[in-house]
Amino acid sequence: MSRRGLAAVSSVLDQAASSATNILVLVLAARLSSASGFAGFSMVYVAFTVLLGLNMAYVGQTVVLEKGERLAVVCRSSVLFTAAASAVAGLALAVAGLALPGATGGGFLALGLVLPLVLVQDGLRYCFSALRAPQRALAADTLRLVCVVAALAVQPAGASPARLVLVWGLSALPALALGLWLLRPSVRGARAELRPYLRRGHLGQRFVVEFAVGNGSSQLAVLGLGAFATPLAVGALRGATTLFGPLNVLFNSANAFGPPLVGRAPGKRGVVRLTVLMGAGLAVLGGGWAAVLYALPDRLGRHLLGDTWAAASALLPATGAQYAVMGLGTCALLTLRVLNPKATLSLQVVFSLLSVGLLLAGYALGGVAGAAWGLALGSAAKAAAGWLRVTRLAAAAPEVAAAA
């Protein structure tokens, strides 16, 4: 295997290890908790997911775009900025946790204490990607996976959300130490520059807007259900989406590694043909995986999600439909990234906000199942709008497409 091929395989395996960590954390937490306990843990984990995505957008995506002699400076700067920013965010979470009552408050307090560890450890992946050393990220993330599974597996049944969050966060220490050790030779002698992250016009600000309206808005809407409806709704929705974790690996890999591969296709029509095939394949996989989960015996389902299985399994048709159309939507946005990167922001803003509205309207009309179908309808609308924009760009003259 060539060096480039080995790097691509390592990158995909690293994404798989990272996604598997998130999946297994939720599965183990569901098995150890009651339905109400997992609902509290889920609210905390959704908050972490939003913060993780914001860090990825503001810091990670700008790191992987860097090339040349500044790589060492950028990598060192990104690690230090992530550590400082996550410490500030962690302090705010800890204060909020002290103010919130019950087990959920304890969970947010625990998240505030461990947030710098988990965000810095995850952020190292983008440094290794920019340095074209994904095998180092794979080593650290594999260790992270082993440590977190081992740590959670020995926790007692009925463990509180705070205890589970603390164990999950502290188990990142070995992987964090390994990652920093592997990064050190590449950044030795480089001086950190934190001011660019605070300047107006930093590229990460645009990526944060796209993340906020594309992913963060739906996550915050789910959190909102727990605030004005019931935390059990959050647990059910989170449990259902956890079962589709393997598809998230594929979607994330398409977003992370798709542009350079798709960009090699001959011309705009070649790009579109390739991404249409990718989207159709992901849609079929989404529907097939949903059918497998729907046919899963209750005994196996309870083994996966514990008490949360009953509520989550009722959402499988809606969540399966959502993931099928998400495969099409992911490849539509991937196509636009290659043809015209500026064309994605407006789509993300309009249709992500529409998805939030449909989620809340669905809950008002049909409870948790209605909320799940609202998300599916929103994803379908975004996919349709994305491919319509692709069709227009592909049909336009090159100079028109560039200006779109």
Side-chain angles (χ1 to χ4, degrees):
M1 182 181 295
S2 66
R3 185 175 180 180
R4 179 177 296 178
L6 181 61
V9 170
S10 296
S11 297
V12 173
L13 290 177
D14 176 57
Q15 182 62 57
S18 180
S19 298
T21 299
N22 293 329
I23 295 167
L24 291 174
V25 164
L26 289 166
V27 168
L28 289 170
R31 292 180 61 184
L32 290 168
S33 308
S34 63
S36 60
F38 182 67
F41 179 87
S42 294
M43 291 188 68
V44 176
Y45 207 78
V46 167
F48 162 72
T49 302
V50 171
L51 292 170
L52 180 68
L54 288 173
N55 186 66
M56 176 272 295
Y58 196 82
V59 182
Q61 287 195 12
T62 59
V63 170
V64 298
L65 293 177
E66 287 289 342
K67 299 178 182 179
E69 298 178 354
R70 284 186 47 81
L71 266 179
V73 172
V74 169
C75 288
R76 180 182 283 273
S77 302
S78 70
V79 171
L80 292 179
F81 178 80
T82 298
S86 59
V88 173
L91 179 60
L93 284 171
V95 172
L98 291 172
L100 291 172
T104 301
F108 277 104
L109 173 60
L111 178 60
L113 296 176
V114 300
L115 187 65
L117 301 179
V118 291
L119 285 189
V120 173
Q121 191 275 321
D122 183 83
L124 292 173
R125 294 195 296 131
Y126 302 99
C127 295
F128 292 132
S129 177
L131 293 166
R132 298 184 180 181
Q135 64 277 9
R136 301 184 197 175
L138 176 59
D141 286 334
T142 301
L143 180 60
R144 169 67 169 141
L145 173 61
V146 171
C147 290
V148 72
V149 169
L152 288 176
V154 298
Q155 299 307 304
S160 68
R163 175 170 180 159
L164 293 177
V165 171
L166 275 177
V167 170
W168 158 76
L170 292 175
S171 66
L173 278 170
L176 174 60
L178 176 61
L180 291 174
W181 180 72
L182 291 173
L183 181 65
R184 184 179 178 184
S186 299
V187 300
R188 186 182 290 116
R191 294 185 60 185
E193 297 177 359
L194 302 186
R195 288 185 179 180
Y197 288 101
L198 304 176
R199 290 174 185 162
R200 185 177 180 181
H202 174 62
L203 186 59
Q205 294 168 8
R206 180 183 181 89
F207 295 146
V208 162
V209 173
E210 289 207 24
F211 168 78
V213 298
N215 298 305
S217 57
S218 60
Q219 298 281 8
L220 291 173
V222 171
L223 274 179
L225 285 181
F228 72 81
T230 168
L232 293 176
V234 180
L237 287 169
R238 195 65 179 174
T241 56
T242 298
L243 296 171
F244 288 83
L247 292 180
N248 286 329
V249 175
L250 295 177
F251 294 165
N252 291 335
S253 295
N255 284 322
F257 314 118
L261 296 176
V262 171
R264 297 173 185 171
K268 290 189 293 183
R269 291 186 178 182
V271 168
V272 174
R273 279 196 297 267
L274 180 57
T275 52
V276 165
L277 289 175
M278 291 173 60
L282 289 176
V284 170
L285 283 173
W289 186 246
V292 170
L293 292 173
Y294 194 72
L296 202 67
D298 285 342
R299 176 178 56 83
L300 292 178
R302 285 192 296 271
H303 186 71
L304 284 173
L305 292 182
D307 292 342
T308 305
W309 168 254
S313 61
L315 306 182
L316 287 176
T319 307
Q322 180 191 2
Y323 270 81
V325 294
M326 278 174 63
L328 293 170
T330 296
C331 290
L333 292 176
L334 171 60
T335 312
L336 292 174
R337 285 282 190 186
V338 174
L339 296 181
N340 181 10
K342 294 182 179 180
T344 59
L345 181 57
S346 59
L347 281 174
Q348 293 278 40
V349 170
V350 173
F351 288 94
S352 295
L353 294 178
L354 175 64
S355 293
V356 171
L358 291 172
L359 179 148
L360 298 176
Y363 183 82
L365 294 174
V368 181
W373 280 112
L375 285 174
L377 183 58
S379 295
K382 183 188 288 189
W387 281 112
L388 179 61
R389 188 66 184 272
V390 167
T391 301
R392 291 175 177 173
L393 281 175
E399 63 272 15
V400 176

